[in-house]
Amino acid sequence: MTLTLSKTTAPLALAGMLVLTLAACGGGGGGAASNASVPPAPAATSFPVQQGLAYAFTHGLQSTLTVSGSTTNGSTTYPLTGTLTYTLGAVVNAAFNGAAVQQATETLSGTISGNGTTTPLTTSSQLYVNAQYTPVGSYEAGAYCVANSTAAYPASATAGQTGDLASFSCYTDSTRRTLTSTQKITYVTTAGSDGNSLDFQMLSNVFDAANKSLGSTGTTYTISAAGIPKLTRIQLTETVGGISFTIDAK
């Protein structure tokens, strides 16, 4: 059996991808008799967003994470382990909802083990963005999601920021006759663990047509001083067929 995660809780996260570009800091040379140590370069405090968008969507991205978590069926809970690989392909020109856009394929694949059973896990979808790499929609079989509103991404981000990014309505197909769910995406930034990087977390909360919570996803990117973004964590909660899953991949 393959566990297929719904698109509404897969990470629509690449629209918030960041890249850090910093000028190299040259070292100074003192006299031979000097014992004074050179002070470290100051940690970066502001990380540009828009430069990262172009890099992520034109170069693609892949990251493999180690999974921990749990699943609950009725009164029984048991732990989960495994691996998860996230892949983003480079964008190509496309059309979506009657407009010219760019399209990138994003996939999640891996295996989850629990209670003596190992299960393949997979999801694949098309992510649509505009010329500024802002998400305008996504599609997989049974889930045609269209942005209702999209906020401008910050030109730069510092630790401690929060904000709204987008809201989506998801339908069974492109006719948009049957609403199945809604989705709201926000972000929060924190300082990276090395003192000179930024953790940018995309938070996606999903609700059914009656506004009942279906699950959520948190996707974190760590931006290094070398200017390279890396997906470092995916946190997922979802209920499938009455069975609840909590996955923390990092």
Side-chain angles (χ1 to χ4, degrees), residues 17 19 49-60 91 131-133:
M17 180 66 68
V19 129
V49 173
Q50 295 299 334
Q51 293 174 356
L53 299 179
Y55 183 94
F57 280 101
T58 57
H59 290 75
V91 292
Q132 291 73 44
Y133 304 105

Side-chain angles (χ1 to χ4, degrees), residues 97-244:
N97 199 34
V101 295
Q102 298 182 82
Q103 170 192 305
T105 299
E106 57 177 2
T107 62
L108 283 170
S109 62
T111 58
I112 299 293
S113 298
N115 198 27
T117 301
T118 297
T119 302
L121 179 152
T122 183
T123 184
S124 180
S125 62
Q126 304 304 317
L127 175 64
Y128 298 95
V129 298
N130 61 21
Q132 291 73 44
Y133 304 105
T134 301
V136 295
S138 64
Y139 174 73
E140 68 169 324
Y144 184 90
C145 300
V146 180
N148 301 315
S149 64
T150 301
Y153 288 92
S156 60
T158 59
Q161 288 185 216
T162 61
D164 294 334
L165 291 178
S167 64
F168 290 81
S169 293
C170 297
Y171 306 86
T172 54
D173 54 43
S174 60
T175 64
R176 300 171 62 179
R177 293 189 184 123
T178 305
L179 178 69
T180 58
S181 63
T182 60
Q183 181 179 18
K184 183 176 181 179
I185 302 177
T186 59
Y187 74 88
V188 59
T189 63
T190 55
S193 60
D194 65 359
N196 194 29
S197 61
L198 181 75
D199 286 346
F200 187 90
Q201 184 183 43
M202 308 277 287
L203 302 170
S204 172
N205 291 292
V206 186
F207 305 88
D208 67 14
N211 207 35
K212 178 182 178 180
S213 177
L214 294 176
S216 64
T217 299
T219 308
T220 301
Y221 302 90
T222 297
I223 315 306
S224 74
I228 303 299
K230 183 179 180 181
L231 188 150
T232 53
R233 193 173 189 181
I234 296 176
Q235 297 162 279
L236 170 73
T237 62
E238 185 174 8
T239 300
V240 180
I243 302 175
S244 298

